[in-house]
Amino acid sequence: AKLSKPVVFFLDDLQWADAYSLHLITTLVTDKAIQNLTFIGCFRDDEVDDTHPLGSTLYEIRTRSVAITKIKVNNIIKEDINALISDTFHLSDSFTASLTDIVHQKTNGNIFCILQFLQSLCDGGLLQWSSVSNSWEVKNSSIEAEFSPHDKVRILARRILHLPEKTQYALKLMSCVGASCLESTLMLFLDENIAINVKKERDDQYR
């Protein structure tokens, strides 16, 4: 990285980062020999406190006089949802306004729920591309009838049902363990052939 070509390094879901990853991040951002690097990390602050590994990592970075700027991302407003839908599907703001009303009502502006909701509409044929009109078609009345305002869980459940049967079975077993489990436990839940491939991919990453 140099002044004319700075590097921006972004990692999502840091609340799930393992100890090795957190150590690497700490090394990168505290090494004074590394210049023109901006690290951006995203995490769910409701899952991270001072006792969480990420919380401890952030504290350690601060003690080394590294400036940290915290940006809290709230649910997005209806106008921004409309801009997102309009840009994504290349439709006019006025045309997507009615769909935006529905999406905002169902998701309350949660970006994760918005993306899942839109994906579920595409999967269900309620938002689909028409080769006749050469544009996206939206079935607003069907969307209203199909989904209730509190259907976030059902939307995610439908997404899970699209996963391979063995993956669904593994998720069922994992749910009995709790909110998290060891990788070795996960391997027991997965199909043997899948487990071998996952282990191989993991080993290849650290070579």
Side-chain angles (χ1 to χ4, degrees), residues 46-135:
D46 59 341
E47 297 183 19
V48 177
D49 56 21
D50 293 338
T51 62
H52 189 281
L54 177 58
S56 302
T57 298
L58 293 175
Y59 176 78
E60 180 182 353
I61 293 173
R62 289 192 185 95
T63 60
R64 299 193 188 184
S65 302
V66 176
I68 297 179
T69 301
K70 185 175 182 179
I71 302 174
K72 184 175 179 62
V73 180
N74 297 312
N75 290 348
I76 61 177
I77 60 176
K78 186 186 293 186
E79 289 76 10
D80 291 338
I81 297 175
N82 196 39
L84 170 67
I85 296 174
S86 175
D87 290 344
T88 301
F89 297 99
H90 303 288
L91 298 169
S92 67
D93 293 347
S94 57
F95 184 84
T96 57
S98 56
L99 174 60
T100 295
D101 288 338
I102 299 172
V103 173
H104 184 264
Q105 177 192 19
K106 310 296 187 181
T107 66
N108 198 32
N110 182 293
I111 186 60
F112 175 77
C113 293
I114 290 172
L115 297 179
Q116 293 295 318
F117 185 75
L118 291 174
Q119 184 63 58
S120 70
L121 297 184
C122 292
D123 292 342
L126 301 178
L127 176 58
Q128 62 183 359
W129 176 262
S130 171
S131 57
V132 177
S133 61
N134 199 33
S135 65

Side-chain angles (χ1 to χ4, degrees), residues 97-189:
S98 56
L99 174 60
T100 295
D101 288 338
I102 299 172
V103 173
H104 184 264
Q105 177 192 19
K106 310 296 187 181
T107 66
N108 198 32
N110 182 293
I111 186 60
F112 175 77
C113 293
I114 290 172
L115 297 179
Q116 293 295 318
F117 185 75
L118 291 174
Q119 184 63 58
S120 70
L121 297 184
C122 292
D123 292 342
L126 301 178
L127 176 58
Q128 62 183 359
W129 176 262
S130 171
S131 57
V132 177
S133 61
N134 199 33
S135 65
W136 288 90
E137 294 184 346
V138 184
K139 302 177 181 179
N140 288 325
S141 58
S142 298
I143 296 172
E144 285 278 19
E146 179 72 10
F147 297 100
S148 72
H150 305 288
D151 265 347
K152 298 185 185 72
V153 174
R154 188 156 69 95
I155 292 170
L156 291 177
R158 285 188 172 187
R159 297 287 295 161
I160 292 174
L161 290 175
H162 282 86
L163 297 172
E165 185 176 346
K166 291 179 180 178
T167 304
Q168 293 183 45
Y169 182 68
L171 289 173
K172 290 178 182 179
L173 294 175
M174 286 177 63
S175 68
C176 300
V177 176
S180 62
C181 72
L182 298 174
E183 183 179 359
S184 57
T185 305
L186 174 60
M187 292 297 182
L188 295 175
F189 293 156

Side-chain angles (χ1 to χ4, degrees), residues 4-16:
S4 60
K5 292 184 178 180
V7 172
V8 178
F9 188 23
F10 175 80
L11 287 178
D12 197 5
D13 289 324
L14 288 181
Q15 73 276 1
W16 295 330

